[in-house]
Amino acid sequence: MTTQGAHTPTPGEGQDGQAGQRTGGGAGVAAVAADRRRGRRVTGRRAVGWVVMAGVVAAGGWIITRPTPGDYIPGLGPSKADSARTPPVVGTPPPTTDPEALNADNMFPAQRPVEVGGYKARRGGIRQGEKCDEVLQDRTQELLKDSGCQAYLIVSFTGVDHPVRSSVTLLRFADQAAAARAADTLRGKPGLVAFMLADTNIAPAPSVGSAKPGSEARVEAVGHYVTVTSSRPGDARPADTASSNPAPSTQAPTASGSGGEPNLDEATRALSYAAGQPFVWM
């Protein structure tokens, strides 16, 4: 029995009656808050965990916001082996301030295959410049000298699953009318545009009548650009030289084409489409 105003000890209270004292008003609220804070205090292990988690989140945000063209995983860059196989480049790169520059790294990243429909190809060598007559098999003709052509880009491709090599030439003109006229000129002269190999060398021109079915160049005017695409068998040699340097027998035949010949038309159509897409709305 206690008298009025006396204090009844509670469990956990020390000898001085203060540790577990329950009082009313603001002091009671402060005591409960203090108890809760003590129950959720940050330990050394928990602090380390939060620091690690913050670092992971920050790194993830950097990776997502800093992608590099051609990366297999955005922000991580191509593998060391892929970087060592960077295709050769001949010519002067376009100025970075030109929004319509023919930039192969933006259009066809070296470490990222071009895939259209069921066809997939990887980029090879590059030739680029402003003297458009350099794309011709016979440069002495100078057919593009006064055509309004401002710049050119030639990119070679090799089929990933098919023994096919392709050459894609892109030409930029001052306006759509000039591009349309140039396209008509190039269509009227088969073999006029040179075929470039992966090492940036120009392949010999095929003799008359020796071209394989489907190896004809595809010429398209897209806005004020012109694309010229052609494909050859995997060794990229004209047909009339095949007997002097036979192709390896390990090449697997592909669907379409007589005698197991690769489908050259499939490669040409796919790469022509891929080359023209960036210019559809220009």
Side-chain angles (χ1 to χ4, degrees), residues 3-282:
T3 62
Q4 184 176 4
H7 171 62
T8 301
T10 59
E13 188 175 65
Q15 294 180 354
D16 57 359
Q18 299 298 322
Q21 186 175 0
R22 295 179 181 176
T23 59
V29 175
V32 172
D35 288 342
R36 290 181 178 177
R37 284 196 296 271
R38 285 194 298 271
R40 296 180 181 180
R41 66 180 181 275
V42 179
T43 63
R45 180 178 298 178
R46 183 174 297 176
V48 172
W50 279 110
V51 171
V52 172
M53 182 176 296
V56 171
V57 172
W62 185 88
I63 289 174
I64 294 173
T65 57
R66 294 290 302 275
T68 300
D71 293 352
Y72 286 120
I73 300 177
L76 297 184
S79 67
K80 182 178 180 180
D82 291 318
S83 298
R85 295 197 299 266
T86 300
V89 179
V90 174
T92 305
T96 56
T97 56
D98 186 353
E100 296 184 354
L102 294 173
N103 191 317
D105 288 329
N106 291 340
M107 298 173 60
F108 309 110
Q111 283 75 35
R112 183 179 301 162
V114 172
E115 187 170 5
V116 178
Y119 186 78
K120 184 186 297 184
R122 194 174 298 280
R123 192 191 90 185
I126 299 169
R127 280 182 177 267
Q128 55 196 4
E130 297 179 353
K131 298 180 179 179
C132 295
D133 285 326
E134 294 178 354
V135 309
L136 303 178
Q137 185 74 37
D138 182 3
R139 299 183 182 181
T140 62
Q141 296 187 39
E142 298 185 340
L143 294 177
L144 297 174
K145 184 177 182 180
D146 299 319
S147 64
C149 185
Q150 299 173 329
Y152 76 87
L153 171 68
I154 310 177
V155 186
S156 70
F157 289 92
T158 302
V160 174
D161 302 317
H162 304 274
V164 178
R165 296 186 186 274
S166 303
S167 179
V168 179
T169 300
L170 300 99
L171 305 169
R172 189 180 74 182
F173 292 84
D175 52 53
Q176 294 187 18
R181 289 193 298 270
D184 290 339
T185 299
L186 297 176
R187 290 192 190 102
K189 295 181 179 295
L192 182 66
V193 177
F195 188 99
M196 190 183 74
L197 304 174
D199 59 2
T200 73
N201 288 322
I202 301 301
S207 59
V208 177
S210 65
K212 294 289 185 181
S215 62
E216 298 83 4
R218 189 181 186 95
V219 181
E220 300 289 350
V222 188
H224 57 98
Y225 294 83
V226 171
T227 64
V228 183
T229 310
S230 58
S231 300
R232 295 186 180 184
D235 50 16
R237 290 176 289 107
D240 56 344
T241 64
S243 59
S244 61
N245 188 14
S249 59
T250 56
Q251 291 183 351
T254 59
S256 182
S258 59
E261 286 292 338
N263 191 341
L264 304 182
D265 186 62
E266 176 191 17
T268 298
R269 286 186 288 104
L271 292 174
S272 177
Y273 175 84
Q277 281 304 293
F279 313 122
V280 169
W281 302 111
M282 291 185 179

